[in-house]
Amino acid sequence: MPDQETSARIASSFARAFAELQDAILAGSGIAAATAELSEARAAIDQLARRVEMQLEEDKEQRRQLGDQLVTLAGSLDRLVTHLQGLSQLMGDLLERLAEPQGVAAVPAETPFRPGADGLSLTLTGLPGFQALMEVQKAVSAMEQVAGVSVERYQEGDSRLLVHLTAPVTATEIADWLRRSTPFTAAIEDSKPEMSRLRLRIAPA
């Protein structure tokens, strides 16, 4: 049977062995925990790297789309500038034309009937009766350019007068005078000053 000193040494050895075993166990637990933490940290880093990569790809795609939009916008602006330049030129030309004095188109002067030995042969058509012929003859005689009027023919509403002129007179002046001086309208059917012939259609006003 061992003595008390030997028993103490054995107990001390067991205690040291147990402490070492406990330290080893504790050391092993720390390594496992550290390994787990490292695995978690690596996973987090991988996930973060993937997110960063995805964000970079998204940023790259957005930059590409923005670049395409800028190119399209630049083309649209170029076309707009060209269109505005053309419009400006057109407006400038229009303003220049508007600023230019617009000459009034000259209306050809009506050739008048002139006094002559043969006189003016005035044919009247559409006379409503002999009384109408008398009224027309009286009105023509009252014109200041007329020296006298004689009836050459009257048949079925048509008549021919011989008008002696003292001054030039146009067909329009004669027709207007009859419209003002008689209850009839006078429309010019044919006017030939060079032949001293005039034909008027007479109708009630």
Side-chain angles (χ1 to χ4, degrees):
M1 186 173 182
D3 56 16
Q4 186 176 359
E5 184 178 356
T6 300
S7 297
R9 286 198 303 270
I10 293 173
S12 178
S13 296
F14 274 110
R16 285 196 305 272
F18 182 77
E20 291 175 0
L21 178 60
Q22 187 177 10
D23 292 340
I25 293 173
L26 291 174
S29 298
I31 293 173
T35 301
E37 291 179 359
L38 287 175
S39 297
E40 292 177 359
R42 184 179 294 108
I45 292 172
D46 292 341
Q47 185 178 4
L48 179 59
R50 287 193 298 271
R51 290 181 179 178
V52 171
E53 185 177 358
M54 291 175 60
Q55 186 64 43
L56 291 175
E57 289 294 332
E58 292 178 359
D59 293 343
K60 182 179 179 181
E61 180 64 21
Q62 289 179 357
R63 286 195 297 271
R64 186 188 65 78
Q65 293 179 357
L66 181 59
D68 294 342
Q69 292 175 357
L70 290 175
V71 172
T72 302
L73 180 59
S76 300
L77 288 176
D78 288 340
R79 290 191 295 271
L80 179 59
V81 169
T82 301
H83 178 71
L84 289 177
Q85 289 176 345
L87 182 60
S88 177
Q89 182 65 35
L90 179 62
M91 290 298 295
D93 294 342
L94 180 60
L95 291 175
E96 288 181 2
R97 292 181 181 180
L98 291 176
E100 293 176 357
Q102 300 296 322
V104 179
V107 178
E110 185 177 359
T111 302
F113 295 94
R114 299 187 179 279
D118 295 336
L120 167 61
S121 178
L122 174 58
T123 300
L124 304 174
T125 63
L127 287 168
F130 186 77
Q131 182 60 37
L133 172 60
M134 294 295 98
E135 293 184 24
V136 171
Q137 180 185 8
K138 181 179 178 180
V140 174
S141 299
M143 295 183 69
E144 62 180 359
Q145 301 95 330
V146 176
V149 180
S150 60
V151 178
E152 291 188 324
R153 186 191 69 186
Y154 175 76
Q155 183 179 6
E156 297 180 356
D158 292 343
S159 178
R160 184 172 69 240
L161 305 179
L162 181 61
V163 182
H164 296 281
L165 301 176
T166 59
V169 64
T170 64
T172 300
E173 289 174 334
I174 296 174
D176 290 344
W177 176 263
L178 291 178
R179 282 193 288 267
R180 294 193 303 268
S181 304
T182 69
F184 308 109
T185 61
I188 300 173
E189 287 189 333
D190 188 29
S191 177
K192 295 180 179 179
E194 70 279 3
M195 300 178 65
S196 295
R197 293 180 184 177
L198 174 61
R199 185 168 68 246
L200 302 177
R201 174 166 290 279
I202 305 301

